[in-house]
Amino acid sequence: MSHKYPGRTVAGLLLAGWLAAAGAAAGDSAPALARWGLDEQAGNQAVESVSGRRDQVNYVFNRARFKPASAPLWRADAACVKHGCLLFDGYSTDIVAPGLTSAQLASGFTLSAWVAPHAFEWGDGGHYSAFLSQFDAGAKQGFSFGVYRFGTWGMQLGFDSAIVDVRVKDRKLPRDAWSHVAASYDPVLRRVALFLNGERLVNIAAPVDGKFAMPPTPLTIGRHSQPEPFHDAFKLNTFLGLMDEVRVSAGPSDAAAVARTIAADLAQRGGKAPLLTQADMRISPSTFDGDRHRPQYHLIPDSGWMNEPHAPFYYAGQYHLFFQKNPFGPFWHQIHWGHWVSRDMTHWRELPIALAPEDDGLATDGVWSGSATYAADGSPVLFFTAGSDAVKPNQRTGMATPADLHDPDLVRWTKYPTPVTLQTDGLGRYGEFRDPFVFRDGARQRWFQLVGSSLQGRSGTALVYASTDLRNWTPRGPLFSIDASRYPGFEATWELPVLLPVGKGADGGERHVFLNDVRGQAYYWTGVFDAATARFTPDVEAPRVFDVGQGHFSGPSGFVDPKTGRTIVFSIAQGERSPQDEWDAGWAHNGGLPITLSLGADGDLRLAPIGEVASLRRKLLVELRDASVADAVEALAAVHGDALEIELELVPSAAAGKRGMSVRVAPGRAELTDLYVDAARGRLEIDRTRTSADHAYGVQGGAFALSGEPLRMRIFLDRSMVEAYVNERKSLTSRIYPTRADADGLALLAAAGDRIVSLKVWAMAAAEKEN
């Protein structure tokens, strides 16, 4: 399904209007110094048509490291103002051209471009995300013309002794829609002017005693000349969105001259800029075809950075899931809420950004993790951590509701204008207040909210609030806490608190599981939640590790599926890569498989991937029953693949040793990864010491006792992603990055006397996006 961005049209772009404006003034347009039409639609160079020069379009995949090389993100005529245009990806795309000289601009200049920003940067360093920039802040020379926070936009100019920042704050640029922007400097009148869609919005005086001059530096399109560095590999102050018809002209311009340029650009379109769709602005997953590490059937955004998925709910025939998203690239910064929908929680389709930081006094610096519930009328409601550095503490709970309940995808969301929950001094460690988890108390007209925090001198906790209308919340105190002196590290904030029912305990009483994230590791307790007192009593005080992959499974969220009654948990699978690796890859992290939780007879959790995952099985490659180890070894020798599901049931003999599987095995065992249970040591582990020829990742794992039962292991291999589920009692999530393309074999870890009850291997299909 293709989504037009609602309510984002370019008002007043009628050809008759431009011609009328153009006729209101006489005179010729300023002579062109440079023009980039961005019409190429292929290759990695852009023609500067005045000189005929070809300028390099820098882009991460011009010389790709993990996939075949591919061209920058050119767009065809239908999405563009005039012929073709270019999508700047927000972190790697820019064009560097020879610098302009002071002599060329001695009579003044006009800069102009068609731009369609997709999102707005935080404004690090006070710099613009530049359309055009040739600027030296230290020398106070040149210009930087671009967009700033929340769609404000303008230009900085250096006048030797001062820098002038001319900015439009009351006519912001819209997201995902074309606007024509222009900036002009007249050295005779010493005036600086800014124009939006042909209308002059600003006309101010330049310093009378300053001299404008150009620095001896390159001219950059799509990035500030002096971008702020980030995590060593990244450069900020980079434009994200479409750009077309970028021009530099000698001499100043007035509104009539700008209007003539716009009219000429739109003449073939009846005077209107094209409406953009989601497909025009997204970086397609096909961009990453051939990436040997990018998962194919796990939940993953189209591109860029993701962190924890959260706020799952089911409504009008579809599951919705949101996630922490940086649209500017594969790094943590300027967090938005991404949005997926699915009919089966297996095949997901990414929608436009649901929630973004805005100049609303609510979530100006980030829209961080949260949850979803249903209002009394059954409609979904989102709760999020509203980040605002202008207030203290900078973390509050915000709320959003669908803008149109008749839209089956619920694309647009409306934020409630003020925070619904504020932390009060004395309730939890002040300033630690995030990740609201909201749930309804059965059929009652009452909701509870858990907020991650900590208690001074005790441990982390979840603060409890209660409400009868979702807007007004009454504090009820901490849900529970533990003695952190006995459990070092648990004095930290308990992030991402989740409380879900998991069935009845041995005493017949209802049990819940409380999940959280402490220092990047997911933990859990089972116990009893008393709605009357708003307290949780754990069955045992000691925290238990949810997944023994040691940090790869984190950021838990969950819900009770109203269709089936299942308790389902989602997670983030961390990538364990360097910033440079993530820059080179263009993506960072993915979701784990959705898993169901229930309570076993021993009072501990049982967990397994949801049954719908079976729909991803493409072909059965191996099927053995009551076989010998030798039979299994022979069958597995013929299997090759990096997207597999493996199901093994094995009765171990008395011989000591490791039982499990080797995956991503290269010829001669030059690279391989072992997943196994070592019964003698009581351990479930992954050995990655030979996973990659260029890096030893070590051994990870945790306690696991077979207790005389057969070993039942399910392994989900998805390129760099590995998930193992053992006897429905414990999971292990990890990452592997083999260097060899032929590291795609399987091998059995077993003793000769073991009996193979069952062995099945399926080739898995890519989780194609739903239509």
Side-chain angles (χ1 to χ4, degrees), residues 409-429:
D409 287 340
L410 303 179
V411 170
R412 294 184 297 124
W413 292 79
T414 302
K415 295 174 188 169
Y416 192 67
T418 58
V420 296
T421 317
L422 299 171
Q423 185 180 22
T424 55
D425 199 3
L427 188 60
R429 189 187 301 269

Side-chain angles (χ1 to χ4, degrees), residues 186-208:
D186 185 336
V188 176
L189 299 178
R190 303 194 70 78
R191 307 293 293 183
V192 181
L194 297 177
F195 305 84
L196 177 61
N197 298 327
E199 179 186 355
R200 190 179 72 185
L201 302 182
V202 174
N203 183 27
I204 68 168
V208 296

Side-chain angles (χ1 to χ4, degrees), residues 95-120:
I95 301 172
V96 180
L100 300 164
T101 66
S102 298
Q104 286 177 295
L105 305 186
S107 61
F109 62 85
T110 301
L111 314 174
S112 67
W114 286 93
V115 298
H118 181 51
F120 306 119

Side-chain angles (χ1 to χ4, degrees), residues 557-762:
S557 64
F559 77 132
V560 176
D561 179 9
K563 280 182 63 178
T564 64
R566 295 174 297 178
T567 292
I568 296 175
V569 167
F570 297 87
S571 66
I572 176 70
Q574 303 287 347
E576 198 180 12
R577 301 173 98 174
S578 70
Q580 186 62 58
D581 286 344
E582 290 173 337
W583 192 100
D584 291 335
W587 60 274
H589 315 320
N590 59 268
L593 294 174
I595 58 176
T596 60
L597 299 185
S598 59
L599 200 65
D602 59 358
D604 203 354
L605 286 182
R606 297 293 183 268
L607 63 159
I610 60 173
E612 290 88 336
V613 169
S615 68
L616 295 170
R617 295 169 177 167
R618 179 171 57 86
K619 183 180 180 180
L620 183 62
L621 303 177
V622 173
E623 184 174 21
L624 295 177
R625 293 185 183 278
D626 293 320
S628 67
V629 168
D631 290 338
V633 169
E634 181 181 359
L636 291 173
V639 176
H640 297 274
D642 59 8
L644 304 170
E645 179 188 350
I646 305 154
E647 194 175 88
L648 169 68
E649 184 173 356
L650 176 152
V651 176
S653 64
K658 300 170 181 177
R659 269 81 174 182
M661 298 290 300
S662 297
V663 300
R664 302 298 302 268
V665 182
R669 299 175 67 83
E671 291 184 338
L672 59 89
T673 299
D674 291 337
L675 276 158
Y676 56 84
V677 170
D678 186 335
R681 295 170 52 235
R683 299 281 294 178
L684 166 61
E685 293 180 335
I686 182 169
D687 184 345
R688 300 184 298 159
T689 55
R690 296 170 62 188
T691 289
S692 171
D694 62 4
H695 188 85
Y697 289 91
V699 178
Q700 295 176 309
F704 183 83
L706 263 183
S707 303
E709 61 192 307
L711 170 66
R712 298 187 306 278
M713 178 178 281
R714 293 181 70 186
I715 299 173
F716 293 87
L717 175 64
D718 194 0
R719 296 195 176 168
S720 66
M721 179 74 184
V722 182
E723 289 183 69
Y725 297 86
V726 181
N727 289 49
E728 297 83 45
R729 288 195 282 118
K730 193 58 69 177
S731 67
L732 187 157
T733 302
S734 192
R735 288 284 187 180
I736 55 177
Y737 296 102
T739 61
R740 296 176 52 142
D742 59 357
D744 62 357
L746 293 179
L748 181 68
L749 295 174
D754 296 346
R755 181 169 61 88
I756 308 299
V757 177
S758 174
L759 174 63
K760 296 179 182 179
V761 181
W762 291 270

Side-chain angles (χ1 to χ4, degrees), residues 22-280:
D28 297 328
S29 297
L33 293 176
R35 172 183 169 269
W36 294 266
L38 303 178
D39 301 328
E40 285 72 16
Q41 300 187 30
N44 56 17
Q45 294 181 322
V47 174
E48 193 287 287
S49 58
V50 175
S51 67
R53 185 184 67 243
R54 292 182 175 271
D55 293 323
Q56 179 71 32
V57 181
N58 295 313
Y59 175 58
V60 59
F61 296 141
N62 286 346
R63 293 177 296 278
R65 182 177 163 202
F66 300 117
K67 62 177 283 293
S70 56
L73 302 169
W74 300 103
R75 293 295 186 258
D77 180 70
C80 307
V81 173
K82 191 175 182 181
H83 308 306
C85 54
L86 178 63
L87 179 64
F88 291 72
D89 67 0
Y91 86 101
S92 80
T93 310
D94 64 20
I95 301 172
V96 180
L100 300 164
T101 66
S102 298
Q104 286 177 295
L105 305 186
S107 61
F109 62 85
T110 301
L111 314 174
S112 67
W114 286 93
V115 298
H118 181 51
F120 306 119
E121 278 193 302
W122 192 80
D124 294 79
H127 303 325
Y128 288 104
S129 305
F131 314 136
L132 279 160
S133 182
Q134 186 178 335
F135 188 69
D136 186 329
K140 298 182 174 62
Q141 292 181 331
F143 60 76
S144 179
F145 177 40
V147 63
Y148 195 62
R149 299 188 72 180
F150 316 121
T152 61
W153 59 283
M155 180 170 63
Q156 287 183 320
L157 299 97
F159 287 94
D160 282 341
S161 60
I163 293 175
V164 174
D165 193 337
V166 184
R167 189 173 302 174
V168 175
K169 297 181 179 180
D170 57 347
R171 293 282 295 276
K172 298 173 183 175
L173 298 182
R175 292 192 300 266
D176 304 315
W178 284 111
S179 299
H180 186 272
V181 291
S184 176
Y185 172 58
D186 185 336
V188 176
L189 299 178
R190 303 194 70 78
R191 307 293 293 183
V192 181
L194 297 177
F195 305 84
L196 177 61
N197 298 327
E199 179 186 355
R200 190 179 72 185
L201 302 182
V202 174
N203 183 27
I204 68 168
V208 296
D209 56 350
K211 179 182 179 182
F212 178 80
M214 295 298 291
T217 57
L219 174 69
T220 304
I221 300 172
R223 195 192 307 270
H224 193 276
S225 303
Q226 297 172 318
E228 293 291 308
F230 195 74
H231 290 335
D232 298 326
F234 294 91
K235 296 177 181 178
L236 303 178
N237 315 120
T238 302
F239 180 72
L240 171 62
L242 291 168
M243 209 180 298
D244 200 356
E245 293 297 325
V246 181
R247 297 179 173 98
V248 181
S249 301
S253 293
D254 57 17
V258 176
R260 285 194 295 273
T261 299
I262 295 173
D265 288 343
L266 297 178
Q268 300 301 312
R269 294 193 173 277
K272 295 182 179 180
L275 294 176
L276 296 172
T277 68
Q278 182 187 2
D280 299 327

Side-chain angles (χ1 to χ4, degrees), residues 194-537:
L194 297 177
F195 305 84
L196 177 61
N197 298 327
E199 179 186 355
R200 190 179 72 185
L201 302 182
V202 174
N203 183 27
I204 68 168
V208 296
D209 56 350
K211 179 182 179 182
F212 178 80
M214 295 298 291
T217 57
L219 174 69
T220 304
I221 300 172
R223 195 192 307 270
H224 193 276
S225 303
Q226 297 172 318
E228 293 291 308
F230 195 74
H231 290 335
D232 298 326
F234 294 91
K235 296 177 181 178
L236 303 178
N237 315 120
T238 302
F239 180 72
L240 171 62
L242 291 168
M243 209 180 298
D244 200 356
E245 293 297 325
V246 181
R247 297 179 173 98
V248 181
S249 301
S253 293
D254 57 17
V258 176
R260 285 194 295 273
T261 299
I262 295 173
D265 288 343
L266 297 178
Q268 300 301 312
R269 294 193 173 277
K272 295 182 179 180
L275 294 176
L276 296 172
T277 68
Q278 182 187 2
D280 299 327
M281 306 301 295
R282 76 193 286 227
I283 299 173
S284 170
S286 65
T287 304
F288 303 95
D289 285 353
D291 184 326
R292 65 180 186 268
H293 300 310
R294 181 177 167 92
Q296 298 299 291
Y297 63 85
H298 278 78
L299 182 64
I300 190 168
D302 291 344
S303 65
W305 169 278
M306 76 163 284
N307 219 359
E308 56 268 7
H310 45 62
F313 67 85
Y314 180 80
Y315 187 77
Q318 292 196 111
Y319 294 96
H320 293 252
L321 185 64
F322 301 81
F323 63 99
Q324 298 282 275
K325 178 183 180 74
N326 178 14
F328 285 90
F331 59 99
W332 187 95
H333 201 42
Q334 191 66 351
I335 296 301
H336 299 56
W337 270 35
H339 185 188
W340 288 298
V341 292
S342 174
R343 294 183 179 89
D344 62 2
M345 288 185 283
T346 302
H347 301 82
W348 296 90
R349 175 165 47 91
E350 188 171 349
L351 299 176
I353 290 168
L355 299 173
E358 295 178 287
D359 190 15
D360 54 10
L362 176 65
T364 54
D365 295 292
V367 186
W368 303 324
S369 294
S371 62
T373 191
Y374 299 99
D377 63 0
S379 62
V381 183
L382 302 181
F383 291 85
F384 57 91
T385 307
S388 175
D389 293 337
V391 297
K392 188 175 181 180
N394 68 346
Q395 302 159 28
R396 306 170 295 174
T397 299
M399 186 180 76
T401 53
D404 179 8
L405 284 171
H406 298 292
D407 172 13
D409 287 340
L410 303 179
V411 170
R412 294 184 297 124
W413 292 79
T414 302
K415 295 174 188 169
Y416 192 67
T418 58
V420 296
T421 317
L422 299 171
Q423 185 180 22
T424 55
D425 199 3
L427 188 60
R429 189 187 301 269
Y430 198 61
E432 299 292 313
F433 192 79
R434 51 189 176 270
D435 310 331
F437 179 78
V438 177
F439 61 97
R440 191 168 183 173
D441 181 15
R444 298 178 181 86
Q445 184 74 16
R446 179 172 62 178
W447 291 262
F448 290 106
Q449 177 187 175
L450 309 181
V451 185
S453 189
S454 63
L455 301 175
Q456 192 74 37
R458 179 67 179 167
S459 72
T461 193
L463 301 176
V464 184
Y465 295 79
S467 175
T468 57
D469 62 5
L470 297 175
R471 290 172 175 79
N472 299 284
W473 294 86
T474 301
R476 298 291 303 274
L479 181 70
F480 81 107
S481 62
I482 62 176
D483 182 358
S485 66
R486 299 178 59 195
Y487 308 103
F490 282 83
E491 71 280 359
T493 295
W494 290 1
E495 297 184 308
L496 302 161
V498 175
L499 187 67
L500 296 167
V502 287
K504 292 186 177 181
D507 59 2
E510 294 292 335
R511 287 296 192 276
H512 281 70
V513 61
F514 176 77
L515 295 142
N516 66 10
D517 190 292
V518 180
R519 304 184 190 275
Q521 176 75 56
Y523 295 91
Y524 75 97
W525 293 257
T526 59
V528 176
F529 173 65
D530 185 341
T533 62
R535 294 295 181 270
F536 175 78
T537 303

